[in-house]
Amino acid sequence: MDYNIIILSISTLRKQVDKCVGRWGDKKITYYSQLEPVSRMLIEEKGNIDEVLAICTTKAIEKTEFSEEDGESNLVMSAYDYYVKRINGAFPNNGIKFTQCPSNAFDEKNEIEKENAIVEVARYILNKKNDIKKLDPDANLNIWIDSQGGTRDVNMLLNAIISTLRLLGINSKGIYAVNFYNKEGTVINQTSTYQIIDFVSGINEFTLYGRAESIVRSENNEFKGFLFEKTWNK
């Protein structure tokens, strides 16, 4: 049986957490945690999410006091614990494993700690893949990415993790974010955007080292032709 993991980075909390509306397709939900919409969409549509791997900075696991708009007041917990609480509240008895990674939260301003976080997340995913294959050689590890959370620095780190996993032969099944305006968040599929970035990186790999794997993965032939033309006919 396949194993499905959501990878996301935890956002910090404000003193008051807004009550928002989330949408995907014909579905409409009320939510508070910034990371709820994509997770809830994937859990409902895929039906068998086994684990959520949460990338946490020191601020993401720091307990803070906050209130919900039109909801609970004087809550004291970390942003990570609040996300878990909200998902478990929406899906009781879901059986999902929530894993904080790296095991020791990192300081997003410390470059060495950020690099170590990339290594730890990639190693965790690679070990998970190997463990699954030992139990069932036909099983697949499916990675789903929520690129919404975290600061800009942490989001760039998430991009580095996605690229590292690709180098290890582990590609994401889907990459999602939320288009947010006026307390309404619509889930959007960003997979094709990341494929374009991957292809442009592949052109650089091919030019420098003769590696063509990233180029072959792209399905956009028009885009391929444009970059080949502009790269080699200077």
Side-chain angles (χ1 to χ4, degrees), residues 136-153:
D136 182 358
D138 296 325
N140 295 307
L141 175 64
N142 298 323
I143 303 295
W144 308 92
I145 306 289
D146 180 353
S147 65
Q148 185 67 27
T151 62
R152 186 171 299 174
D153 277 352

Side-chain angles (χ1 to χ4, degrees), residues 118 131 139:
I118 295 171
D131 290 343

Side-chain angles (χ1 to χ4, degrees), residues 11 18 32 39-41 50 55 69 76 89 93 106 108 119 129 144 157 161 163 168 186 204 218 226:
S11 300
D18 290 335
Y32 288 98
S39 293
R40 290 175 63 173
M41 182 271 290
D50 298 286
I55 301 168
E69 180 186 5
V76 179
N93 304 313
F106 65 95
E108 64 184 283
V119 172
K129 178 183 178 181
W144 308 92
L157 183 143
I161 289 170
S163 297
L168 295 172
T186 302
N204 187 51
S218 175
F226 170 79

